[in-house]
């Protein structure tokens, strides 16, 4: 038998033994290499990245979570695993109270901006870039195939959903790093890019806990896709267009703080398992 099939079998065996590590390694590789491929022409010429290039890097990254989730589900869990994954993608008949949670991101974003506009500066007036919802569609529907369809069920523990959700949230925030300077309306953020990344991570980690809570109680990947769409869409649609980089850091941090307050309420009611008393 040739060496190549032996190495292939060993590689597949390692994936099956370490399905979570394999997922994040493959996801980050596909996504970051895709972003690098888009940016490469400017990097080779030692040019600063134009804003449009930064924006185009993001869709190039979206294949990572979805492709990795589907491919590794087939390798690790077989055909039955794929059937289970796709069944959770179309699980939509849920109690209405779960769909009302989709209003949380726009309500909190608008509340933060209205507060800052009223008491701090008119520059925080929210935008109405309605076509920005289109940015949320591919992000929500492609990413969650991997994040919640594959990764979270494998790292979640029966006695603790909170800690795995936080870890996944931190990794999710880190995954955005190649495009972090082009997220928001104050891009590029210049010397405040790391401050913005930290504020962004605060908000995204809290959002991931809430998405995980919704998934634990519904087993619906579709619902998590819609929540992701609502989150990303709200940030793109309503982000104030005239803020400075520092001002953007402030409002993202305040938004993240409110999200963590909601997380605290959920944890107080559901415990670390994030399981509601009455399962939907």
């Amino acid at each position: 038998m040739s060496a190549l099939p032996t190495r292939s079998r060993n590689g597949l065996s390692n994936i099956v033994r370490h399905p979570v590590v394999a997922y994040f390694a493959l996801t980050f590789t596909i996504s970051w290499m895709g972003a690098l491929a888009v940016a490469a022409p400017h990097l080779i010429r030692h040019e600063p990245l134009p804003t449009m290039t930064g924006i185009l890097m993001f869709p190039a990254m979206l294949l990572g979570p979805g492709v990795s989730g589907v491919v590794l589900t087939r390798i690790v869990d077989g055909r039955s695993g794929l059937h289970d994954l796709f069944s959770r993608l179309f699980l939509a008949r849920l109690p209405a109270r779960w769909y009302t949670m989709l209003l949380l991101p726009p309500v909190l974003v608008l509340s933060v901006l209205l507060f800052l506009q009223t008491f701090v500066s008119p520059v925080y007036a929210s935008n109405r870039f309605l076509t920005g919802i289109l940015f949320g569609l591919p992000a929500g529907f492609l990413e969650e195939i991997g994040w919640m369809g594959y990764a979270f069920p494998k790292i979640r523990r029966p006695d603790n959903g909170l800690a795995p959700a936080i870890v996944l949230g931190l990794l999710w925030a880190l995954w955005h790093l190649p495009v972090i300077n082009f997220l928001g309306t104050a891009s590029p953020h210049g010397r405040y890019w790391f401050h913005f990344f930290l504020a962004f991570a605060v908000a995204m980690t809290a959002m991931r806990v809430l998405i995980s809570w919704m998934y634990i109680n519904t087993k619906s990947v579709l619902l998590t896709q819609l929540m992701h769409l609502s989150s990303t869409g709200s940030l793109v649609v309503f982000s104030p267009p005239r803020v400075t980089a520092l001002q953007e850091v402030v409002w993202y941090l305040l938004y993240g703080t409110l999200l963590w307050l909601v997380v605290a309420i959920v944890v107080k009611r559901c415990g670390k398992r994030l399981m509601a008393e009455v399962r939907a």
Side-chain angles (χ1 to χ4, degrees), residues 123 130 177 248:
V123 77
L130 297 181
L177 193 58
E248 189 154 63

Side-chain angles (χ1 to χ4, degrees), residues 16-37:
V16 172
R17 285 201 303 267
H18 307 286
V20 176
V21 173
Y23 171 77
F24 288 112
L26 185 59
T27 295
F28 275 67
T29 299
I30 293 174
S31 295
W32 286 18
M33 290 300 291
L36 179 61

